[in-house]
mmCIF file of all heavy atoms in Angstrom:
data_model
loop_
_atom_site.group_PDB
_atom_site.id
_atom_site.type_symbol
_atom_site.label_atom_id
_atom_site.label_comp_id
_atom_site.label_asym_id
_atom_site.label_seq_id
_atom_site.Cartn_x
_atom_site.Cartn_y
_atom_site.Cartn_z
ATOM 1 N N MET A 63 11.061 11.496 5.551
ATOM 2 C CA MET A 63 10.038 12.504 5.264
ATOM 3 C C MET A 63 8.663 11.867 5.054
ATOM 4 O O MET A 63 7.667 12.374 5.553
ATOM 5 C CB MET A 63 10.441 13.340 4.033
ATOM 6 C CG MET A 63 11.734 14.125 4.230
ATOM 7 S SD MET A 63 11.747 15.179 5.699
ATOM 8 C CE MET A 63 10.635 16.447 5.197
ATOM 9 N N LYS A 64 8.617 10.737 4.341
ATOM 10 C CA LYS A 64 7.311 10.104 4.108
ATOM 11 C C LYS A 64 6.722 9.567 5.406
ATOM 12 O O LYS A 64 5.516 9.639 5.614
ATOM 13 C CB LYS A 64 7.391 9.030 3.024
ATOM 14 C CG LYS A 64 8.332 7.896 3.303
ATOM 15 C CD LYS A 64 8.501 7.021 2.064
ATOM 16 C CE LYS A 64 9.719 6.140 2.205
ATOM 17 N NZ LYS A 64 10.055 5.475 0.978
ATOM 18 N N ALA A 65 7.564 9.053 6.309
ATOM 19 C CA ALA A 65 7.055 8.590 7.602
ATOM 20 C C ALA A 65 6.526 9.762 8.419
ATOM 21 O O ALA A 65 5.444 9.668 9.023
ATOM 22 C CB ALA A 65 8.155 7.849 8.366
ATOM 23 N N LEU A 66 7.258 10.858 8.431
ATOM 24 C CA LEU A 66 6.798 12.038 9.159
ATOM 25 C C LEU A 66 5.502 12.583 8.570
ATOM 26 O O LEU A 66 4.613 13.023 9.311
ATOM 27 C CB LEU A 66 7.886 13.116 9.165
ATOM 28 C CG LEU A 66 9.169 12.743 9.918
ATOM 29 C CD1 LEU A 66 10.210 13.848 9.757
ATOM 30 C CD2 LEU A 66 8.903 12.426 11.375
ATOM 31 N N ASP A 67 5.386 12.533 7.226
ATOM 32 C CA ASP A 67 4.119 12.929 6.581
ATOM 33 C C ASP A 67 2.961 12.111 7.137
ATOM 34 O O ASP A 67 1.911 12.649 7.492
ATOM 35 C CB ASP A 67 4.179 12.713 5.067
ATOM 36 C CG ASP A 67 5.071 13.688 4.328
ATOM 37 O OD1 ASP A 67 5.515 14.691 4.927
ATOM 38 O OD2 ASP A 67 5.334 13.428 3.130
ATOM 39 N N LEU A 68 3.142 10.781 7.184
ATOM 40 C CA LEU A 68 2.053 9.905 7.612
ATOM 41 C C LEU A 68 1.753 10.026 9.104
ATOM 42 O O LEU A 68 0.596 9.861 9.510
ATOM 43 C CB LEU A 68 2.366 8.450 7.249
ATOM 44 C CG LEU A 68 2.391 8.161 5.751
ATOM 45 C CD1 LEU A 68 2.839 6.728 5.501
ATOM 46 C CD2 LEU A 68 1.036 8.432 5.108
ATOM 47 N N LEU A 69 2.745 10.312 9.902
ATOM 48 C CA LEU A 69 2.499 10.531 11.329
ATOM 49 C C LEU A 69 1.694 11.814 11.551
ATOM 50 O O LEU A 69 0.876 11.899 12.459
ATOM 51 C CB LEU A 69 3.822 10.584 12.100
ATOM 52 C CG LEU A 69 4.561 9.250 12.198
ATOM 53 C CD1 LEU A 69 5.955 9.463 12.778
ATOM 54 C CD2 LEU A 69 3.772 8.235 13.013
ATOM 55 N N ARG A 70 1.917 12.796 10.691
ATOM 56 C CA ARG A 70 1.209 14.076 10.790
ATOM 57 C C ARG A 70 -0.184 13.990 10.170
ATOM 58 O O ARG A 70 -1.152 14.517 10.693
ATOM 59 C CB ARG A 70 2.056 15.158 10.093
ATOM 60 C CG ARG A 70 1.534 16.548 10.214
ATOM 61 C CD ARG A 70 2.423 17.585 9.537
ATOM 62 N NE ARG A 70 2.892 17.187 8.213
ATOM 63 C CZ ARG A 70 4.096 16.678 7.949
ATOM 64 N NH1 ARG A 70 4.979 16.531 8.893
ATOM 65 N NH2 ARG A 70 4.444 16.337 6.724
ATOM 66 N N ASP A 71 -0.282 13.327 9.018
ATOM 67 C CA ASP A 71 -1.546 13.210 8.283
ATOM 68 C C ASP A 71 -1.565 11.814 7.670
ATOM 69 O O ASP A 71 -0.840 11.547 6.706
ATOM 70 C CB ASP A 71 -1.610 14.271 7.184
ATOM 71 C CG ASP A 71 -2.908 14.230 6.382
ATOM 72 O OD1 ASP A 71 -3.660 13.234 6.458
ATOM 73 O OD2 ASP A 71 -3.176 15.211 5.655
ATOM 74 N N PRO A 72 -2.358 10.901 8.201
ATOM 75 C CA PRO A 72 -2.285 9.500 7.777
ATOM 76 C C PRO A 72 -2.883 9.185 6.406
ATOM 77 O O PRO A 72 -2.773 8.058 5.932
ATOM 78 C CB PRO A 72 -3.034 8.760 8.885
ATOM 79 C CG PRO A 72 -3.992 9.761 9.416
ATOM 80 C CD PRO A 72 -3.286 11.095 9.312
ATOM 81 N N ARG A 73 -3.482 10.162 5.749
ATOM 82 C CA ARG A 73 -4.054 9.885 4.426
ATOM 83 C C ARG A 73 -2.952 9.523 3.444
ATOM 84 O O ARG A 73 -1.891 10.133 3.440
ATOM 85 C CB ARG A 73 -4.838 11.082 3.907
ATOM 86 C CG ARG A 73 -6.085 11.373 4.723
ATOM 87 C CD ARG A 73 -6.753 12.616 4.259
ATOM 88 N NE ARG A 73 -5.864 13.759 4.492
ATOM 89 C CZ ARG A 73 -6.089 14.977 4.023
ATOM 90 N NH1 ARG A 73 -7.145 15.223 3.272
ATOM 91 N NH2 ARG A 73 -5.250 15.959 4.285
ATOM 92 N N LEU A 74 -3.239 8.509 2.610
ATOM 93 C CA LEU A 74 -2.228 8.059 1.658
ATOM 94 C C LEU A 74 -2.870 7.530 0.390
ATOM 95 O O LEU A 74 -4.066 7.246 0.337
ATOM 96 C CB LEU A 74 -1.327 6.984 2.279
ATOM 97 C CG LEU A 74 -1.949 5.683 2.802
ATOM 98 C CD1 LEU A 74 -2.419 4.744 1.718
ATOM 99 C CD2 LEU A 74 -0.950 4.970 3.678
ATOM 100 N N LEU A 75 -2.026 7.409 -0.618
ATOM 101 C CA LEU A 75 -2.362 6.733 -1.866
ATOM 102 C C LEU A 75 -1.219 5.784 -2.163
ATOM 103 O O LEU A 75 -0.056 6.175 -2.110
ATOM 104 C CB LEU A 75 -2.504 7.738 -3.013
ATOM 105 C CG LEU A 75 -2.510 7.164 -4.432
ATOM 106 C CD1 LEU A 75 -3.735 6.305 -4.672
ATOM 107 C CD2 LEU A 75 -2.416 8.267 -5.449
ATOM 108 N N VAL A 76 -1.546 4.540 -2.436
ATOM 109 C CA VAL A 76 -0.557 3.550 -2.855
ATOM 110 C C VAL A 76 -0.853 3.225 -4.309
ATOM 111 O O VAL A 76 -1.998 2.893 -4.655
ATOM 112 C CB VAL A 76 -0.634 2.275 -1.980
ATOM 113 C CG1 VAL A 76 0.210 1.164 -2.567
ATOM 114 C CG2 VAL A 76 -0.195 2.587 -0.562
ATOM 115 N N HIS A 77 0.161 3.324 -5.160
ATOM 116 C CA HIS A 77 -0.002 3.077 -6.595
ATOM 117 C C HIS A 77 1.036 2.053 -7.035
ATOM 118 O O HIS A 77 2.223 2.206 -6.749
ATOM 119 C CB HIS A 77 0.188 4.392 -7.360
ATOM 120 C CG HIS A 77 -0.127 4.298 -8.818
ATOM 121 N ND1 HIS A 77 0.752 3.748 -9.727
ATOM 122 C CD2 HIS A 77 -1.211 4.678 -9.529
ATOM 123 C CE1 HIS A 77 0.208 3.811 -10.936
ATOM 124 N NE2 HIS A 77 -0.974 4.363 -10.841
ATOM 125 N N SER A 78 0.585 1.017 -7.723
ATOM 126 C CA SER A 78 1.518 0.019 -8.252
ATOM 127 C C SER A 78 2.456 0.677 -9.256
ATOM 128 O O SER A 78 2.148 1.713 -9.834
ATOM 129 C CB SER A 78 0.744 -1.119 -8.918
ATOM 130 O OG SER A 78 -0.055 -0.621 -9.983
ATOM 131 N N LEU A 79 3.606 0.060 -9.450
ATOM 132 C CA LEU A 79 4.574 0.599 -10.399
ATOM 133 C C LEU A 79 4.129 0.301 -11.825
ATOM 134 O O LEU A 79 3.948 -0.866 -12.186
ATOM 135 C CB LEU A 79 5.948 -0.030 -10.176
ATOM 136 C CG LEU A 79 6.658 0.362 -8.900
ATOM 137 C CD1 LEU A 79 7.973 -0.399 -8.791
ATOM 138 C CD2 LEU A 79 6.896 1.851 -8.836
ATOM 139 N N PRO A 80 3.953 1.315 -12.653
ATOM 140 C CA PRO A 80 3.613 1.057 -14.044
ATOM 141 C C PRO A 80 4.774 0.369 -14.767
ATOM 142 O O PRO A 80 5.931 0.719 -14.554
ATOM 143 C CB PRO A 80 3.370 2.445 -14.637
ATOM 144 C CG PRO A 80 3.213 3.359 -13.473
ATOM 145 C CD PRO A 80 3.970 2.742 -12.339
ATOM 146 N N ALA A 81 4.461 -0.598 -15.582
ATOM 147 C CA ALA A 81 5.481 -1.333 -16.348
ATOM 148 C C ALA A 81 5.522 -0.806 -17.776
ATOM 149 O O ALA A 81 5.248 -1.515 -18.722
ATOM 150 C CB ALA A 81 5.175 -2.827 -16.328
ATOM 151 N N GLY A 82 5.811 0.466 -17.923
ATOM 152 C CA GLY A 82 5.864 1.078 -19.246
ATOM 153 C C GLY A 82 4.550 1.742 -19.606
ATOM 154 O O GLY A 82 3.561 1.649 -18.884
ATOM 155 N N LYS A 83 4.529 2.400 -20.748
ATOM 156 C CA LYS A 83 3.343 3.174 -21.124
ATOM 157 C C LYS A 83 2.116 2.316 -21.388
ATOM 158 O O LYS A 83 0.999 2.746 -21.162
ATOM 159 C CB LYS A 83 3.631 4.073 -22.322
ATOM 160 C CG LYS A 83 3.856 3.346 -23.624
ATOM 161 C CD LYS A 83 4.048 4.336 -24.762
ATOM 162 C CE LYS A 83 4.127 3.647 -26.085
ATOM 163 N NZ LYS A 83 2.939 2.913 -26.457
ATOM 164 N N ASP A 84 2.303 1.082 -21.840
ATOM 165 C CA ASP A 84 1.158 0.201 -22.074
ATOM 166 C C ASP A 84 0.740 -0.553 -20.817
ATOM 167 O O ASP A 84 -0.382 -1.028 -20.729
ATOM 168 C CB ASP A 84 1.463 -0.785 -23.204
ATOM 169 C CG ASP A 84 1.654 -0.077 -24.530
ATOM 170 O OD1 ASP A 84 0.978 0.951 -24.759
ATOM 171 O OD2 ASP A 84 2.484 -0.537 -25.327
ATOM 172 N N ASN A 85 1.640 -0.697 -19.868
ATOM 173 C CA ASN A 85 1.374 -1.267 -18.551
ATOM 174 C C ASN A 85 0.450 -2.489 -18.591
ATOM 175 O O ASN A 85 -0.682 -2.441 -18.100
ATOM 176 C CB ASN A 85 0.798 -0.184 -17.632
ATOM 177 C CG ASN A 85 0.840 -0.580 -16.186
ATOM 178 O OD1 ASN A 85 1.536 -1.507 -15.795
ATOM 179 N ND2 ASN A 85 0.091 0.127 -15.372
ATOM 180 N N PRO A 86 0.905 -3.600 -19.162
ATOM 181 C CA PRO A 86 0.034 -4.772 -19.327
ATOM 182 C C PRO A 86 -0.478 -5.370 -18.019
ATOM 183 O O PRO A 86 -1.511 -6.023 -18.005
ATOM 184 C CB PRO A 86 0.921 -5.784 -20.068
ATOM 185 C CG PRO A 86 2.318 -5.343 -19.791
ATOM 186 C CD PRO A 86 2.263 -3.851 -19.629
ATOM 187 N N GLY A 87 0.208 -5.122 -16.892
ATOM 188 C CA GLY A 87 -0.256 -5.629 -15.599
ATOM 189 C C GLY A 87 -1.343 -4.790 -14.969
ATOM 190 O O GLY A 87 -1.937 -5.180 -13.976
ATOM 191 N N GLY A 88 -1.625 -3.631 -15.541
ATOM 192 C CA GLY A 88 -2.658 -2.755 -15.007
ATOM 193 C C GLY A 88 -2.167 -1.907 -13.851
ATOM 194 O O GLY A 88 -1.070 -2.089 -13.338
ATOM 195 N N ASP A 89 -2.992 -0.961 -13.481
ATOM 196 C CA ASP A 89 -2.714 -0.046 -12.377
ATOM 197 C C ASP A 89 -3.575 -0.408 -11.182
ATOM 198 O O ASP A 89 -4.797 -0.557 -11.308
ATOM 199 C CB ASP A 89 -3.062 1.395 -12.753
ATOM 200 C CG ASP A 89 -2.010 2.064 -13.594
ATOM 201 O OD1 ASP A 89 -0.846 1.651 -13.528
ATOM 202 O OD2 ASP A 89 -2.365 3.018 -14.307
ATOM 203 N N ILE A 90 -2.955 -0.503 -10.030
ATOM 204 C CA ILE A 90 -3.666 -0.722 -8.780
ATOM 205 C C ILE A 90 -3.486 0.523 -7.939
ATOM 206 O O ILE A 90 -2.365 1.004 -7.754
ATOM 207 C CB ILE A 90 -3.107 -1.944 -8.032
ATOM 208 C CG1 ILE A 90 -3.376 -3.195 -8.854
ATOM 209 C CG2 ILE A 90 -3.703 -2.047 -6.633
ATOM 210 C CD1 ILE A 90 -2.654 -4.421 -8.364
ATOM 211 N N LYS A 91 -4.591 1.054 -7.425
ATOM 212 C CA LYS A 91 -4.533 2.210 -6.539
ATOM 213 C C LYS A 91 -5.328 1.903 -5.284
ATOM 214 O O LYS A 91 -6.468 1.426 -5.363
ATOM 215 C CB LYS A 91 -5.094 3.454 -7.218
ATOM 216 C CG LYS A 91 -4.236 3.935 -8.361
ATOM 217 C CD LYS A 91 -4.795 5.179 -8.986
ATOM 218 C CE LYS A 91 -3.938 5.560 -10.189
ATOM 219 N NZ LYS A 91 -4.568 6.584 -11.001
ATOM 220 N N LEU A 92 -4.712 2.170 -4.153
ATOM 221 C CA LEU A 92 -5.376 2.035 -2.860
ATOM 222 C C LEU A 92 -5.385 3.404 -2.195
ATOM 223 O O LEU A 92 -4.337 4.053 -2.093
ATOM 224 C CB LEU A 92 -4.628 1.059 -1.944
ATOM 225 C CG LEU A 92 -4.431 -0.360 -2.449
ATOM 226 C CD1 LEU A 92 -3.581 -1.141 -1.448
ATOM 227 C CD2 LEU A 92 -5.766 -1.048 -2.662
ATOM 228 N N TYR A 93 -6.536 3.820 -1.744
ATOM 229 C CA TYR A 93 -6.674 5.067 -1.008
ATOM 230 C C TYR A 93 -7.031 4.692 0.428
ATOM 231 O O TYR A 93 -7.844 3.799 0.650
ATOM 232 C CB TYR A 93 -7.801 5.922 -1.594
ATOM 233 C CG TYR A 93 -7.585 6.296 -3.033
ATOM 234 C CD1 TYR A 93 -7.965 5.442 -4.061
ATOM 235 C CD2 TYR A 93 -7.002 7.517 -3.361
ATOM 236 C CE1 TYR A 93 -7.757 5.787 -5.383
ATOM 237 C CE2 TYR A 93 -6.801 7.865 -4.691
ATOM 238 C CZ TYR A 93 -7.187 6.996 -5.702
ATOM 239 O OH TYR A 93 -6.978 7.336 -7.003
ATOM 240 N N GLY A 94 -6.425 5.366 1.374
ATOM 241 C CA GLY A 94 -6.748 5.019 2.745
ATOM 242 C C GLY A 94 -5.963 5.812 3.751
ATOM 243 O O GLY A 94 -5.510 6.927 3.481
ATOM 244 N N GLN A 95 -5.790 5.184 4.911
ATOM 245 C CA GLN A 95 -5.094 5.807 6.018
ATOM 246 C C GLN A 95 -3.990 4.878 6.492
ATOM 247 O O GLN A 95 -4.171 3.657 6.538
ATOM 248 C CB GLN A 95 -6.066 6.050 7.169
ATOM 249 C CG GLN A 95 -7.266 6.861 6.750
ATOM 250 C CD GLN A 95 -7.401 8.138 7.531
ATOM 251 O OE1 GLN A 95 -6.666 8.386 8.466
ATOM 252 N NE2 GLN A 95 -8.339 8.957 7.131
ATOM 253 N N ALA A 96 -2.863 5.471 6.836
ATOM 254 C CA ALA A 96 -1.755 4.713 7.406
ATOM 255 C C ALA A 96 -2.038 4.477 8.884
ATOM 256 O O ALA A 96 -2.522 5.368 9.580
ATOM 257 C CB ALA A 96 -0.459 5.486 7.246
ATOM 258 N N VAL A 97 -1.729 3.277 9.337
ATOM 259 C CA VAL A 97 -1.860 2.931 10.747
ATOM 260 C C VAL A 97 -0.445 2.657 11.259
ATOM 261 O O VAL A 97 0.220 1.728 10.777
ATOM 262 C CB VAL A 97 -2.758 1.687 10.930
ATOM 263 C CG1 VAL A 97 -2.835 1.299 12.395
ATOM 264 C CG2 VAL A 97 -4.145 1.933 10.343
ATOM 265 N N ASP A 98 0.002 3.473 12.197
ATOM 266 C CA ASP A 98 1.344 3.327 12.765
ATOM 267 C C ASP A 98 1.369 2.051 13.605
ATOM 268 O O ASP A 98 0.640 1.923 14.584
ATOM 269 C CB ASP A 98 1.657 4.552 13.626
ATOM 270 C CG ASP A 98 3.074 4.580 14.153
ATOM 271 O OD1 ASP A 98 3.927 3.813 13.665
ATOM 272 O OD2 ASP A 98 3.322 5.389 15.068
ATOM 273 N N ILE A 99 2.202 1.105 13.203
ATOM 274 C CA ILE A 99 2.264 -0.189 13.878
ATOM 275 C C ILE A 99 3.296 -0.115 15.000
ATOM 276 O O ILE A 99 4.489 0.053 14.746
ATOM 277 C CB ILE A 99 2.624 -1.324 12.890
ATOM 278 C CG1 ILE A 99 1.561 -1.420 11.796
ATOM 279 C CG2 ILE A 99 2.801 -2.642 13.617
ATOM 280 C CD1 ILE A 99 0.171 -1.753 12.292
ATOM 281 N N ARG A 100 2.823 -0.268 16.216
ATOM 282 C CA ARG A 100 3.711 -0.217 17.381
ATOM 283 C C ARG A 100 3.689 -1.513 18.187
ATOM 284 O O ARG A 100 4.567 -1.722 19.016
ATOM 285 C CB ARG A 100 3.323 0.950 18.275
ATOM 286 C CG ARG A 100 3.551 2.266 17.553
ATOM 287 C CD ARG A 100 3.227 3.442 18.411
ATOM 288 N NE ARG A 100 3.419 4.658 17.644
ATOM 289 C CZ ARG A 100 4.222 5.626 18.003
ATOM 290 N NH1 ARG A 100 4.924 5.527 19.104
ATOM 291 N NH2 ARG A 100 4.320 6.696 17.265
#
Side-chain angles (χ1 to χ4, degrees):
M63 298 306 288
K64 60 189 164 190
L66 295 175
D67 289 349
L68 293 175
L69 290 171
R70 185 179 44 261
D71 181 345
R73 293 175 296 170
L74 59 72
L75 165 66
V76 170
H77 187 281
S78 60
L79 291 177
K83 69 176 186 62
D84 295 326
N85 195 16
D89 280 336
I90 295 169
K91 292 181 184 168
L92 302 176
Y93 300 85
Q95 305 239 354
V97 177
D98 186 14
I99 299 298
R100 295 182 182 237

